Amino acid sequence: MAVQLTYEDRPVTELGKFLRSRRDRLTPEGAGVRTYGRRRVPGLRREELAQLAGVSVTYLTRLEQGQSQNASDAVIDALARALRLDADERAHLFALARPAPAKRRRPPKPESAKPGAEQLLHAMGDVPAVLLGRFNDVLAWNRAGHLLLAGHLDFAAFTRPTDRPNQIRMLFLDPHTRDLYIDWDAEAALAVASLRYVAAQFADDRRLAELVGELSVNSPEFASLWAGHAVRLCTSGSKRFRHPEIGDLELDYEVLHLPEGNGQRILTHAAKPGSASFAALRLLTSL
């Protein structure tokens, strides 16, 4: 005999998990919700979010459980405002609420570097640069990028699709890479938030599930960060390194997203001219 599931029994989707994580970080007072009596859990209740967004609790439940695929821009915007989402989180919410139609599953093809992008890396000379795939596989790097980020690996490792380096896997599972970042905790949190952002755009890619599964099993730190549902589009900033050959240095980074929209991007690092880090980079590339 078939059992009819109620709304509450149906599994919560990635959209539902994200909304729950954003509800949990808000206090009722901060969201402008009047409360009475004791609350068993912190954060906003589902009915309170529904009230703030101007939708019914039933509709919000259906949305969280993937039962409604036609949420309007107005509804998504209302949810984003009620949850105080920033620009990256709002874009992520739209991606989750408007998933691309599921495609026929085919054996995944290894990503490959666009020839023009790879030529650009080598034209950068002493500027460390890496071409990353959508899920952080290293598709190419120039000599300076290899020496800065992965000098302990074979330079040609990226040419072998079956075992090419993956930046986020190295960050959590490779001791050399972990020791490279002085602010490892911040770097790890940023890497996972960036992967979350990209994941919503390629949710049906089996390689994502395999990578997340591998890291969740082998790194409790990754599993904890992934469960937090933090989201950020990584574009620029600064990082502090403790390089085994040239010591400590601070570099500015830029992420250049390729126009094809396939998730590939070029990560570059540069030091301020005249700084000690600038001299250290020059030394590294001259070794």
Side-chain angles (χ1 to χ4, degrees), residues 15-207:
L15 172 61
K17 293 175 183 176
F18 178 65
L19 290 175
R20 175 61 184 270
S21 72
R22 302 306 90 177
R23 281 197 283 123
D24 286 348
R25 73 176 183 179
L26 281 179
T27 63
E29 295 78 13
V33 174
R34 184 174 298 179
T35 62
Y36 302 94
R38 293 184 58 187
R39 300 173 68 91
R40 291 183 298 173
V41 294
L44 292 181
R45 299 186 179 107
R46 180 183 285 160
E47 57 268 24
E48 291 169 341
L49 173 58
Q51 179 184 354
L52 288 171
V55 299
S56 70
V57 177
T58 299
Y59 179 79
L60 181 57
T61 303
R62 288 177 58 86
L63 189 65
E64 291 181 351
Q65 296 174 342
Q67 303 299 311
S68 178
Q69 299 287 332
N70 59 348
S72 67
D73 289 356
V75 167
I76 300 175
D77 272 329
L79 289 170
R81 286 194 301 272
L83 292 169
R84 312 289 177 89
L85 302 187
D86 62 25
D88 290 345
E89 291 170 329
R90 180 181 177 278
H92 185 66
L93 178 61
F94 267 89
L96 291 176
R98 304 269 183 77
K103 298 179 181 178
R104 181 181 176 184
R105 289 294 182 98
R106 297 177 180 175
K109 294 182 179 179
E111 287 183 274
S112 59
K114 185 179 178 182
E118 190 167 0
Q119 291 173 10
L120 179 59
L121 295 187
H122 297 295
M124 290 180 179
D126 291 343
V127 175
V130 181
L131 177 63
L132 297 173
R134 63 178 67 114
F135 302 135
N136 294 313
D137 284 336
V138 175
L139 304 183
W141 47 29
N142 61 11
R143 180 173 176 273
H146 170 250
L147 289 173
L148 174 65
L149 300 176
H152 63 293
L153 300 180
D154 174 19
F155 178 83
F158 70 87
T159 65
R160 301 187 293 269
T162 56
D163 64 344
R164 63 173 36 137
N166 178 281
Q167 192 182 50
I168 196 167
R169 181 186 290 116
M170 292 166 59
L171 183 63
F172 283 92
L173 303 182
D174 177 41
H176 295 277
T177 304
R178 189 180 184 114
D179 291 343
L180 182 64
Y181 294 93
I182 294 176
D183 306 304
W184 185 87
D185 289 343
E187 181 68 18
L190 176 60
V192 175
S194 178
L195 183 63
R196 267 282 182 199
Y197 186 94
V198 174
Q201 303 170 52
F202 303 97
D204 63 341
D205 195 316
R206 193 178 74 193
R207 288 167 296 183

